[in-house]
Amino acid sequence: MDIISHLTRTVSPAVLEDDRSPAKKNLLEQFYAIFAARLADNDTFSRFANENIARDDNAFYDRVWTEGAHRDQISRELAGKHNVDATASRGLIAMAAPLAFHEIKSLAGTTPVPQFLNDNLNSYQHHIPAWAGTVLPASAVAATSTTASTPISDTTSTAPLQKEEEPKESFMKALLPIIGLIILGALAWALLRGCQENPEPVATPAATVQQGAQGNEALAVAGAIEPASLSIATGENSELYACRMSVGDETLQTNVMNALTGAFGDEANKCRADVDDNFAVDMPASAQLATILPIIKNVPNASMIIKGDNITVNAPDKAALDKLVADLQAAAPAMTVQAEGPLDLQGEIDDSLAAADVAMTNLGENPDPRDVARALSIQVINFQVDEAVIPEVNKALLDRAAEIINNVPDMKLMIVGHTDSQASDTYNMELSQERAESVKAYLVSKGIDASKLTTKGMGESEPIADNSTEQGRFRNRRIEFMVNDEVVSTNDGMMINGDSLDPDMNPLDSNNDDLLPDGDDATQGTAVDPTN
């Protein structure tokens, strides 16, 4: 588990937005390490462990470090090290702290955060600068100093030398190399400072950028990439009940599909894929899928989400769940395997809205309709039981969506409603259609041309998780946005009445259960009217 890489990939883009300078990126990386070391202290974490920390709570940093002098030292030292304005340094830290807190809690899962951070100390300790010892609790300093690689001047004690009973000449010979290194280091630093009017941080990696063809904007490529993911659930008889993947290219899609087919046979064809360059083209667990998938298959009504370096699992039986976690950890020792925690309904809603808001902000001008649909689908629209009234908390995001959709002339979206399985098929189908229509009606009331939006109620027929646990049912109750392209390539399937088919980009299925018909459906003479 590389905590710093994870935070750099998830938090830094939200903090830096379009300003992806290497200096600020490295400043944040070092702050994440100091921040993690602070949270690893039980006394520090316990002060706000039960608080509902908002992602935009810029005052949260002040509560983590209650000593004003320590806060000033952190921002000042980081600013000086990375040649960033001190005021800007303080602002970046204040924005990053609550976001990093949420990500670390998410990574920890059911494990207490201090324990998780101490267990994974090796992933961030080498980023902690020597001066940070004065702003960290004694327990954190002790933990890092026993294993971290820190400068000689901060870790070498003179006591052992005094106890050595060696001749004076031998002592001086042993000391000379150290003195030489210190002198050489001082000379090198003086030369570097003299050669640069505005010196860059030492060992700052060069950013990979793309230059816009019609402008001078530089976009950091890696910062926008989401980890590839696979989400599956098993049914009562251990059959493949639900399956989705998000991957960066068809090569990874094929590799995952081959593993699914090896474990579940023809049932793997129901797996829906989102293949887009917004996702990574590698999956750390892909090499172990042939071992991982049979383990999850043998547990009825289980679910598993693989994303980045994490595997999160759930099952209705605690004993089966504990065994599942242990078996998966043994099969994939490089991964972090954890049981899904109890459903935090309000936390899930708040987090989804915050994540959707960030995704909407990052769309930029003239966005790709698929990115718009994906951003909108992140939010949780938590309808009340048996109702189709949009909650107030979702309206601000939908208002933003209306502006974006209106500003992109050719954008056409399908709004798809889904339910869990806790009612009859007929009732769920009607309720899901009503909820999709409710979202459409709201967007139309905000000025969107009704012809740009179609709706579809899928009831309980397209689960993305199990329906045997509270968490799974919560994920299945959802509104999704998909794209209706007017012109599609042959890889996207056929066209019927001007609407694109098989929006989930799954060319590997061979059945008629797609949300929209694809090429194999058409050859069998079956078509679903996407405007129903």
Side-chain angles (χ1 to χ4, degrees), residues 377 379 381 383 415-417 435-436 439 477-481:
S377 297
Q379 69 176 316
I381 303 181
F383 295 99
I415 305 166
V416 187
R435 289 175 171 175
V439 175
R477 299 190 297 267
R478 68 197 189 278
I479 291 288
E480 291 181 315
F481 291 78

Side-chain angles (χ1 to χ4, degrees), residues 215-405:
N216 296 320
E217 293 179 274
L219 303 177
V221 175
I225 301 299
E226 285 289 317
S229 64
L230 173 66
S231 175
I232 69 172
T234 60
E236 293 182 0
N237 299 312
S238 297
E239 73 276 12
L240 187 60
Y241 181 73
C243 179
R244 278 198 172 184
M245 72 174 84
S246 298
V247 293
D249 62 15
E250 293 182 358
T251 300
L252 181 55
Q253 179 193 13
T254 300
N255 291 340
V256 175
M257 281 299 301
N258 287 340
L260 287 166
T261 301
F264 293 97
D266 291 341
E267 291 177 355
N269 290 329
K270 69 175 63 175
C271 195
R272 293 170 55 184
D274 187 357
V275 183
D276 192 279
D277 58 11
N278 283 316
F279 301 106
V281 297
D282 63 323
M283 181 181 290
S286 60
Q288 287 81 41
L289 283 179
T291 304
I292 291 172
L293 293 174
I295 294 174
I296 193 77
K297 179 183 178 181
N298 289 331
V299 182
N301 296 318
S303 65
M304 176 178 70
I305 300 173
I306 300 175
K307 187 172 184 179
D309 299 325
N310 296 288
I311 301 178
T312 304
V313 292
N314 204 350
D317 179 75
K318 185 180 185 305
L321 177 58
D322 291 342
K323 185 176 186 303
L324 182 57
V325 170
D327 290 347
L328 288 174
Q329 190 66 79
M335 302 290 290
T336 297
V337 183
Q338 58 191 11
E340 187 170 14
L343 177 62
D344 176 7
L345 181 61
Q346 191 58 52
E348 292 281 354
I349 294 171
D350 293 343
D351 289 349
S352 77
L353 291 171
D357 183 68
V358 170
M360 296 282 284
T361 300
N362 291 337
L363 288 173
E365 296 183 4
N366 194 30
D368 185 321
R370 292 187 186 278
D371 291 336
V372 176
R374 189 177 290 116
L376 282 170
S377 297
I378 293 173
Q379 69 176 316
V380 172
I381 303 181
N382 188 46
F383 295 99
Q384 294 297 310
V385 177
D386 297 330
E387 291 186 4
V389 178
I390 298 174
E392 288 295 323
V393 293
N394 296 94
K395 291 182 178 179
L397 192 69
L398 292 175
D399 291 347
R400 291 184 64 189
E403 294 180 8
I404 293 172
I405 296 170

